[in-house]
Amino acid sequence: MKFLVLGAAAGGGLPQWNCGCRNCEEARAGTIPASGQSSLAVSTDGVTWSILNASPDIRFQMQANAALHPRHLRDTPVASVLLTNGDIDHIAGLLSMREQTPFTVFATNEILSVLEGNRIFDAVSKEKVARERIGLGQAFDLHDGLQARLFAVPGKVPLFMEGETVQTDLVGEQTVGVRLWDERGIAYYIPGCAVVTDELLEQIADADHLFFDGTVWDDDEMIRSGTGVKTGRRMGHVPISGPDGSLERMAGLRAAKTYIHINNTNPIWRPDSSERAAVLAAGWQVAHDGLEIAT
Ligand code: MLT
Ligand code: MN
Ligand code: ZN
């Protein structure tokens, strides 16, 4: 499999339009690279591609990656889009793919119901763009030669659908991870996960490569930096650091590991930070836009 990081940042991107935090200012100044919102492309042959989550930045992300350009009049190498939840950073890019070129959208029934419930997505013609319901545990072809299976990971409903009270560790069809495999390897993509459970560790034990939720370094990072009032866990994202953090919980995995879906407040963006050094020392990579990984 070939992976191409289209957007390494979490919702909002880096810099985020309304944010003057240190990372966002550095990204504006060009001292650290700017990054688009959460999206990963995958291919078995480098010719046909599937996009894992369609971000609001997708038009620029496709433009920046020649592998995704049309090869002739009205064409796309993108065979399909898979959605791992219904958040804006993962579905809004579909609206930029509305110009009558066929591809398939794969998602669970619950994630597809977010599209069904928002009529603006009718602009993506169902005649051209089939919406395929995929059950948890069901194997399917993302495109020829690339198999996939969805599994539940702890998470919550999309931010814009939250009610008065919110369960942040729901295990069901609203937040999924995906197992991808071809004859050369096995990879997992999990851009949103509220808790690293024992079940999850068992599920991903056979990974050659893991792309995992790197939203926040510290659970209270947004509160301490004055950029928000919620913890990472409240947003449905387990922190990297701490005893229940992903760094410690996933230390035993044999997979090569990459943090992706990184919030603009996360210190791992900065090359000289101790937090980035800790992540690299533990054998993780930090994704950036344009990063290519082959398994
Ligand atoms: C998230 O990952 O928590 C969401 O993308 C939040 C949002 O909609 O901005
Ligand atoms: Mn997100
Ligand atoms: Zn910021």
Side-chain angles (χ1 to χ4, degrees):
M1 276 170 283
K2 295 170 193 295
F3 289 94
L4 184 51
V5 174
L6 301 184
L14 174 73
Q16 179 174 307
W17 73 282
N18 62 345
C19 192
C21 79
R22 180 173 170 187
N23 288 346
C24 287
E25 286 295 288
E26 288 201 23
R28 280 186 197 99
T31 52
I32 62 173
S35 180
Q37 297 170 80
S38 187
S39 185
L40 180 66
V42 59
S43 175
T44 46
D45 58 6
V47 177
T48 302
W49 291 83
S50 294
I51 292 186
L52 311 178
N53 292 319
S55 102
D57 302 323
I58 197 158
R59 196 174 78 81
F60 302 99
Q61 292 167 334
M62 286 196 180
Q63 173 60 20
N65 290 282
L68 303 179
H69 294 177
R71 296 148 297 187
H72 48 262
L73 191 66
R74 296 296 158 120
D75 169 66
T76 180
V78 176
S80 59
V81 173
L82 170 75
L83 307 174
T84 65
N85 66 18
D87 268 322
I88 288 172
D89 56 345
H90 289 166
I91 66 174
L94 288 173
L95 298 174
S96 297
M97 297 175 74
R98 67 186 179 282
E99 280 94 1
Q100 305 293 328
T101 288
F103 63 96
T104 304
V105 176
F106 293 108
T108 63
N109 193 39
E110 192 159 331
I111 296 170
L112 285 181
S113 74
V114 177
L115 307 185
E116 300 291 337
N118 288 274
R119 281 212 55 200
I120 195 169
F121 287 100
D122 291 355
V124 186
S125 149
K126 283 191 203 168
E127 279 160 32
K128 302 276 179 179
V129 180
R131 297 180 188 180
E132 290 268 346
R133 280 176 173 69
I134 304 296
L136 298 176
Q138 173 193 340
F140 63 103
D141 285 351
L142 254 186
H143 59 254
D144 260 359
L146 179 58
Q147 288 193 278
R149 181 157 51 71
L150 306 180
F151 54 93
V153 296
K156 63 169 186 63
V157 297
L159 178 59
F160 62 90
M161 291 172 70
E162 286 184 5
E164 290 271 293
T165 58
V166 180
Q167 191 184 338
T168 56
D169 61 351
L170 279 173
V171 177
E173 281 202 347
Q174 81 298 323
T175 308
V176 300
V178 57
R179 181 184 197 266
L180 303 155
W181 68 99
D182 65 8
E183 73 265 11
R184 286 190 298 274
I186 300 167
Y188 288 84
Y189 170 62
I190 309 169
C193 177
V195 191
V196 181
T197 59
D198 291 343
E199 292 73 30
L200 177 65
L201 291 174
E202 255 169 62
Q203 165 68 57
I204 62 181
D206 61 355
D208 297 308
H209 204 104
L210 169 68
F211 293 89
F212 191 75
D213 183 345
T215 307
V216 290
W217 167 262
D218 263 332
D219 197 34
D220 62 354
E221 175 179 305
M222 292 197 64
I223 300 167
R224 278 189 302 106
S225 62
T227 54
V229 294
K230 291 180 192 166
T231 61
R233 287 192 176 86
R234 170 61 185 79
M235 297 187 294
H237 300 289
V238 64
I240 295 174
S241 69
D244 297 322
S246 54
L247 203 59
E248 189 142 327
R249 291 283 288 150
M250 293 181 162
L253 289 177
R254 65 168 189 88
K257 303 187 277 297
T258 303
Y259 280 121
I260 198 162
H261 190 282
I262 304 163
N263 195 51
N264 56 71
T265 51
N266 193 324
I268 68 170
W269 281 119
R270 294 194 301 278
D272 58 352
S273 69
S274 59
E275 292 85 355
R276 188 182 184 105
V279 161
L280 299 181
W284 287 76
Q285 262 187 294
V286 177
H288 59 81
D289 291 13
L291 175 66
E292 293 181 33
I293 285 173
T295 58

